[in-house]
Amino acid sequence: MTKIIFVTGTGTDVGKTFISALLVHRLKADYWKPVQTGLECDTGDTRTVSMFPTELTGWKPKLFPPRFQFKKPLSPYNAMEFESDIDIELEDFCIPSTDDLQNDVLVVEGAGGLFVPITKKLEITTDLIRSLIERYPQHKISIVVVADSGLGTLNHTMLTVEHLKHHGLDKNFSGCILNGTINAINAKTLRSFGVNILGEIERCETTQDLGTALKKMPGLDSLYVDSK
């Protein structure tokens, strides 16, 4: 059985890759980005995760290559218009074998937020998560939402949480990690609406900052509803 943490976000540039890297090193997990876009202007999220200073934890994760990669910085659905030889199907995404994992823990980083279209059939990230849950019942799949800590996060975060509930994924939803300048008012308000805040992580400028952030990250037990 593999414990999978699927990391999604409330929008673009909320820090999914940064939080994914922290989770990888906090949990001694491996990493997989199923679909990567924007390679014409960026080296990609897998490369970013590979650059995390391993001396902080002594952990060297196995980085599984994306199943699909696109040049344009667009949703996978739109990026396929520029690379028409690619036609994504949800069944194309296969979780790495347990035998290939170092610790039976895998952090999976989605492309954008839950409503980002992935296939030409207009299937979205939510559909990918449900597909993985249905096709891999032997694994435990937990969803972590990364949200910006600042202004606007209440609406974006609660809409995301409501979307998960509407699609029957609340039992897999562990909670949110707020990224950015600590905002006690927003965190308190989200908790008042029943949102589980797993952590509040400030953006890091130094290796010391990263060490502090790692200590604030949730442990594996807190990421699974049936463990609470």
Side-chain angles (χ1 to χ4, degrees), residues 77-112:
Y77 168 75
N78 293 117
M80 278 188 284
E81 294 183 17
F82 296 88
E83 298 181 53
S84 57
D85 57 318
I86 301 177
D87 187 2
I88 297 176
E89 298 284 347
L90 294 183
E91 291 73 19
D92 294 329
F93 297 102
C94 299
I95 293 172
S97 167
T98 300
D99 293 337
D100 292 330
L101 297 173
Q102 299 180 86
N103 240 357
D104 293 341
V105 184
L106 179 67
V107 170
V108 179
E109 183 184 348

